[in-house]
Amino acid sequence: MTDVAVSAPPAKASPFHELEVLWVHHWTDQLFSFRIRRPEDFRFRSGEFVMLGLPGDDGGKPILRAYSIASPSWDEALEFLSIKVADGPLTSRLQKIQPGDTVLMGKKPTGTLVLDALTGGDRLWLIGTGTGLAPWLSVARDPDTYSRFGQVIVCHTVRNVADLSYRDFFTSGIREDPLIGDEAKAQLTYYPTVTRERFETPGRITDRIRSGDLFADLGLPAGFSPNTDRVMLCGSMAMIKEAGELLESYGLKEGSNAEPGDYVLERAFVG
């Protein structure tokens, strides 16, 4: 009888990247941003999302959630914007990360908040509430955005003025961007609104659309036109549903990666 050496089966490849945290910034006691090292082989389209999380306690199953990538597709790092939930299974721990820590990230980005899901138009509206600003940070820094649209309008609605994360970036910082700074100066408009404090543009963005205040403030014809306007929506389910109905009332049709249209939303977040 001959002894036969039996080799161990090859280790199963992990479905996640284990990535170093490079930078963390806490905007408020409810909002923070962080950047992680980008794998050399990771490719995505500006506006897509990816699964992100941490290992489970005591070696348990990882806790993962979908996060829009807040950095453009050309950036050497990956940035994310997150809420903090004191008893949240993930964010209660994620909000405590420090540079040098490790987070898990899925290997397959996906999503419909991408330019490919829209037909051509003159004006691109990026409408978000809360952390729904994240994909606009990516799309607004993509050179293709300014090649395809003559005007880009970032609308961000929050409860309190302090929640206007990236306000300084959109009012000045983006204009110094070495890649798209000149285009942003000429083509980008930032339009924040606040619902619970005094502000020059108060209220929900859907109310300002319905009243016509949004268009009057920007010196534009009232309403959206399927001939000129293309819209992306991200944020609370209530806003997305209401805004979608408004867009449909103006004759805009929802698009997707398979069939581009006049407006898009991220159904993975809406449910």
Side-chain angles (χ1 to χ4, degrees), residues 11-124:
K12 187 176 181 180
S14 170
F16 310 112
H17 291 290
E18 297 183 8
L19 303 172
E20 179 188 1
V21 176
L22 303 174
W23 167 90
V24 182
H25 178 76
H26 294 272
W27 301 97
T28 68
D29 60 358
Q30 295 183 316
L31 286 171
F32 72 108
S33 295
F34 58 98
R35 290 172 70 85
I36 60 178
R37 193 172 302 281
R38 178 176 179 172
E40 291 184 3
D41 61 350
F42 184 74
R43 300 289 182 269
F44 70 98
R45 296 176 296 173
S46 296
E48 288 189 313
F49 70 88
V50 71
M51 300 305 292
L52 200 72
L54 295 169
D57 291 329
D58 300 322
K61 186 177 180 180
I63 303 171
L64 302 162
R65 296 289 185 271
Y67 275 82
S68 292
I69 302 171
S71 44
S73 58
W74 50 262
D75 203 323
E76 294 181 357
L78 300 173
E79 188 164 335
F80 300 91
L81 174 62
S82 178
I83 59 172
K84 304 177 186 179
V85 180
D87 56 354
L90 177 59
T91 60
S92 61
R93 297 170 55 204
L94 193 63
Q95 65 183 284
K96 299 174 183 177
I97 59 173
Q98 301 290 332
D101 289 346
T102 299
V103 299
L104 302 177
M105 187 184 78
K107 296 182 178 180
K108 183 174 174 54
T110 189
T112 55
L113 299 178
V114 293
L115 297 179
D116 291 341
L118 292 174
T119 56
D122 298 333
R123 186 179 301 113
L124 176 63

Side-chain angles (χ1 to χ4, degrees), residues 32 192 233 269:
F32 72 108
L233 304 173
F269 298 148

